[in-house]
């Protein structure tokens, strides 16, 4: 069973070595051996790990019940925290994407996939947005799931004079600008 079977909020796979999100797989028939990602500098080590399954495994996350299987026909970059399951061979690398230049505040850990497929788990339904050449898409940081475009750039609306004179601790509307051509997958934004 090389392709995952997605049913009732679970992705089921057969025997093999898989790249899975933290606290995955949820249930295993047979034996499983978890291993951490190896390497000198592996930014997604805290978000993803390897698991060797002898029979079958079911992966599912209670706080992210919506699953989307994305084929990796072109190199795909996904937010590492939203990756549920992927073949080990698909992972090409990882990095920390700085939304605010020269700052790790609000930075995203992302994983690059070059082949096969990846199953993403999100807290709401996802939508696929196709961008034409030089087309711009603006997405809230927490809503970004995956993309085939070049890396996005951070954007924040203009800071007003009152924000400088009387600073208040509040979340600014931090956004990401995606530039076409390519495809971007987004989920619903968090209203809380």
């Amino acid at each position: 069973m090389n392709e995952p079977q997605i049913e009732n909020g679970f992705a089921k796979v057969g025997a093999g070595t898989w790249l899975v999100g933290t606290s995955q797989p949820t249930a295993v028939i047979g034996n499983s051996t978890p291993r951490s990602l190896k390497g000198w500098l592996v930014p997604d080590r805290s978000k993803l790990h390897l698991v060797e399954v002898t029979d079958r495994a079911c992966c599912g996350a209670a706080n992210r019940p919506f699953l989307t299987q994305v084929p990796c026909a072109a190199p795909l970059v996904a937010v590492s925290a939203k990756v549920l399951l992927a073949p080990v061979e698909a992972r090409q690398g990882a990095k920390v994407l700085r939304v605010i230049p020269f700052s790790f505040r609000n930075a995203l850990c992302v994983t690059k996939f070059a082949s096969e497929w990846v199953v993403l788990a999100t807290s709401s339904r996802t939508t696929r947005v196709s961008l034409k050449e030089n087309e711009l898409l603006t997405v809230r940081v927490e809503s970004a799931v995956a993309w085939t475009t070049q890396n996005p750039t951070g954007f924040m609306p203009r800071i007003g004079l009152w924000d400088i004179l009387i600073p208040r601790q509040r979340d600014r509307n931090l956004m990401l600008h995606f530039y076409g051509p390519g495809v971007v997958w987004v989920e619903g934004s968090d209203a809380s």
Side-chain angles (χ1 to χ4, degrees):
M1 192 193 291
N2 288 337
E3 288 283 321
Q5 179 185 2
I6 297 176
E7 152 185 354
N8 298 327
F10 282 89
K12 300 174 184 177
V13 290
T17 303
W18 304 99
L19 181 69
V20 296
T22 55
S23 71
Q24 296 300 322
T26 302
V28 177
I29 297 173
N31 192 18
S32 69
T33 308
R35 296 183 313 218
S36 65
L37 294 172
K38 303 287 185 210
W40 174 250
L41 189 63
V42 184
D44 57 352
R45 185 177 295 162
S46 65
K47 309 285 185 209
L48 302 171
H49 66 273
L50 302 174
V51 67
E52 189 174 326
V53 177
T54 58
D55 194 355
R56 287 179 292 173
C58 298
C59 297
N63 60 343
R64 295 177 289 126
F66 296 97
L67 305 184
T68 305
Q69 181 180 348
V70 178
C72 300
L76 175 85
V77 178
V79 176
S80 301
K82 297 179 183 183
V83 173
L84 182 72
L85 174 71
V88 174
E89 303 82 27
R91 182 181 180 275
Q92 191 175 29
K95 72 177 197 172
V96 175
L97 180 66
R98 295 182 185 182
V99 177
I100 301 169
F102 308 110
S103 172
F104 283 105
R105 188 168 165 234
N106 294 88
L108 294 172
C109 179
V110 296
T111 305
K112 187 174 183 180
F113 296 94
S115 63
E116 306 276 338
W117 47 265
V118 61
V119 176
L120 303 166
T122 55
S123 54
S124 71
R125 296 191 187 278
T126 59
T127 188
R128 179 181 185 269
V129 180
S130 296
L131 298 176
K132 298 176 186 162
E133 185 75 34
N134 297 326
E135 195 171 16
L136 172 69
L137 176 68
T138 304
V139 176
R140 297 186 68 81
V141 172
E142 71 270 10
S143 296
V145 177
W147 54 89
T148 62
T149 66
Q150 60 185 345
N151 283 330
T153 57
F155 170 75
M156 188 182 323
R158 195 175 77 127
I159 296 175
L161 180 61
W162 288 111
D163 290 329
I164 296 170
L165 296 176
I166 307 171
R168 289 179 266 163
Q169 290 294 332
R170 61 179 175 174
D171 285 338
R172 302 298 302 175
N173 288 326
L174 193 57
M175 309 290 261
L176 295 173
H177 280 331
F178 290 92
Y179 298 94
V183 179
V184 180
W185 285 265
V186 296
E187 69 171 318
S189 57
D190 187 9
S192 62

